Amino acid sequence: MIGIVVLAVAAIAARSVALAGFGLDSLIEIGASTVVIWELSGTGEDRRRRGLKLIGVGFALLSVYLLVQSTWVLATGFRPHHSPLGIGWTAVTAAVMFALAAGKARTGTALDNPVLKTEGRVTMIDGLLAAAVLLGLLLNSLAGLWWADAAAGYVLVYYALREVMEIFAGAH
């Protein structure tokens, strides 16, 4: 939860869509972890399906938010401020998320649990988003490419929609 507060402060200070989206993604990560704990506490295919759908809905909502916000930013030429706090936080977060995703994937595979494997992909997407947001923040700060902040939001839209389609197409 501290990370969400840090991201909220950084997003507001920088007026950054990418940092706001990253904060929302962090909330989805917490929600997905809660769903996995709930799913692991019981058994049954119905419980497993509900768990996957809850994660999928979170991804779908995040995709809509980022698609709308990133498009609005680009269409209006809105320019975010520089964010040293956002740069530092996303750099550390990316490294931690990639390590956690690998551990969750291994554990999900060992337990043959599709919900845990899916939640591991949520964590991987969180790491990818952190890396994309970091790149957008760096390009804005170092090269003056203001549009890179919004472009970072589109990276997550792509990965989140891919997960939504996989979850709701029943590929699990």
Side-chain angles (χ1 to χ4, degrees):
M1 292 305 275
I2 292 171
I4 294 170
V5 172
V6 170
L7 287 168
V9 168
I12 291 168
R15 300 174 10 169
S16 168
V17 169
L19 285 171
F22 187 49
L24 290 172
D25 182 70
S26 296
L27 281 174
I28 291 171
E29 173 70 23
I30 291 168
S33 295
T34 303
V35 167
V36 168
I37 291 168
W38 169 78
E39 192 273 335
L40 290 173
S41 69
T43 59
E45 188 59 33
D46 189 46
R47 183 180 272 257
R48 181 168 286 166
R49 258 193 310 277
R50 277 186 276 149
L52 289 170
K53 286 184 181 180
L54 286 171
I55 294 170
V57 167
F59 273 131
L61 293 173
L62 179 64
S63 295
V64 169
Y65 168 79
L66 285 173
L67 186 62
V68 169
Q69 287 294 90
S70 294
T71 302
W72 177 82
V73 165
L74 290 174
T76 62
F78 181 82
R79 288 168 166 44
H81 302 278
H82 305 294
S83 180
L85 176 61
I87 289 169
W89 190 262
T90 56
V92 170
T93 301
V96 170
M97 289 297 112
F98 289 136
L100 282 173
K104 289 176 182 181
R106 278 192 306 275
T107 304
T109 299
L111 295 174
D112 192 30
N113 185 297
V115 173
L116 186 54
K117 288 190 273 189
T118 299
E119 206 274 334
R121 285 195 303 275
V122 171
T123 305
M124 175 61 77
I125 289 169
D126 203 35
L128 290 169
L129 175 61
V133 170
L134 177 60
L135 180 61
L137 294 172
L138 287 171
L139 289 172
N140 181 36
S141 290
L142 301 175
L145 301 175
W146 62 270
W147 51 264
D149 183 77
Y154 288 125
V155 171
L156 182 64
V157 169
Y158 168 77
Y159 286 103
L161 287 175
R162 195 174 81 180
E163 285 299 315
V164 168
M165 288 186 293
E166 186 174 323
I167 288 169
F168 289 109
H172 296 282

